[in-house]
Amino acid sequence: MSAEQLKEYLNTAIAIAKEVGPAFKDGFWRTGRFSADSAFAADDKLGNGADCVTEVDRYIEKTVFSRLREIYPTHKLVGEETTTECGNEYKVTNDPTWIVDPVDGTNNFVHHFQYTGISIGLAINKEPVVGVVYLPILDELYTAAHGQGAFMNGQPLPIIRPPVLTTPTSLAECSMVCEHGSDRSEKVMGSRLASFTRLLLDKKHGGGCIQNLRVLGAACPDITLVAKGVAECYWEIGPHAWDFAAAVIILTESGGAVFDGAGWWGSSIPESERTLKPHNIWNRRLIAVRFIPDLPGKPGSGRELQKQLAKDVLEIVEDIPYPPDGIH
C-alpha cells in the first residue's frame, strides 16, 4: 500500500468524521434533529443497563457507511451497531476493512460527559493502517496513517514531548487509564476489581503501586491520552475491534507500543515463558504504553522500558476469556 493511497484513505476518514460532527453535537446537546422532544432513545443492548445505543449511534453509523460504500464499494465494513445486530457473525478477511464506532463512549454521551467521540479506522491484512478519532465536543481531532506520524489538530503527537516528557522506570511513576467494561457478571467484575486492586496496591504487598488509575468511559479517547503523552499506559480486556482499531494506529504512530493484553496473574504459564505477544485488534485484549524517551547515553532504552512496563502490568492483572471478534 503506497503512502499516497494511505493518505487518500486518511483524508476520506477525516472528511466523513467532520461531516457527521454536527449531528454528534446535536445529539449530545439534544438540539436540532435530536432535540428534547424527538425520539432520542437510549436502548439497553445487554439487558443490564450498562451498555446502550441511541438514535445518534444509528444515524452516524448509517451515514458513515453510506459515504464509504459510495467511495470504496469493494471495501468491507464493520460497525458497532450493525455488528451487534448480526450477533458478531461477520467474516474477518485481509481485504480493506473500515471499522467504525459512531459514538465511542455512549454512556458518556448520554450523560453529557464530554469525553466521547467518533472513531473511524481502516485495517488491511487485518492490521490497522489508518485511524481517525474525533471528539467533537472537545474539538480534538486525532489522525494517523501507517508510516506518516500521528497528530492532534495538526500538531504532532505526543503533545507532551521531551524534555518535559519523563522517562518512567516503574509503574509507581505511571498514570494508567482503563475501563470496567459493560459485562457486570459477578465473576467478571470480581476479576477486574482484583486486577485494579493489585495495580494500586503498594509494592510490599505485591502490587504495582501505580500512581493513579483513571476510568473515563471510552476506549479510543483513553488510548489517545496515551498517544498524547498525558498517561503512561492503558490496559483493557473485553472491548471490540471498533473500540480501539483507530486509536491503536494513532498510538503506534506517536511512538507508543501495543501488545496483547492477556494477563498472567494466576496463569499456569511458567514465568520463564511469559513473553509479550503482538497485539491483535480482533482478540479484545490490549496493553498500550506511550512513547518513552531513551535514558541518557542508552539508545533504545525507551523501547525496552515500554516492554518492561507492559510486562509489569501483565504480571499483576488477570486474563478474562472472551471470544474474538468476527469469524476467522
Side-chain angles (χ1 to χ4, degrees), residues 2 95 111 124 155 157 162 174 182 231 244 268 319:
S2 70
D95 296 336
H111 292 283
I124 298 177
Q155 184 175 351
L157 294 172
C174 295
S182 54
F244 49 59
S268 60
D319 188 23

Side-chain angles (χ1 to χ4, degrees), residues 23-80:
F24 188 101
K25 291 179 180 179
D26 273 347
F28 186 89
W29 297 115
R30 312 295 194 269
T31 56
R33 71 171 66 237
F34 302 110
S35 59
D37 60 352
S38 68
F40 177 77
D43 299 330
D44 183 3
K45 289 199 292 187
L46 297 181
N48 63 12
D51 197 8
C52 61
V53 58
T54 72
E55 288 304 315
V56 184
D57 296 76
R58 298 186 179 107
Y59 173 81
I60 290 179
E61 184 167 306
K62 182 179 179 180
T63 303
V64 172
F65 276 12
S66 176
R67 297 294 183 267
L68 289 172
R69 287 191 183 101
E70 291 172 3
I71 303 169
Y72 307 116
T74 63
H75 288 193
K76 302 292 191 301
L77 302 173
V78 173
E80 177 175 11

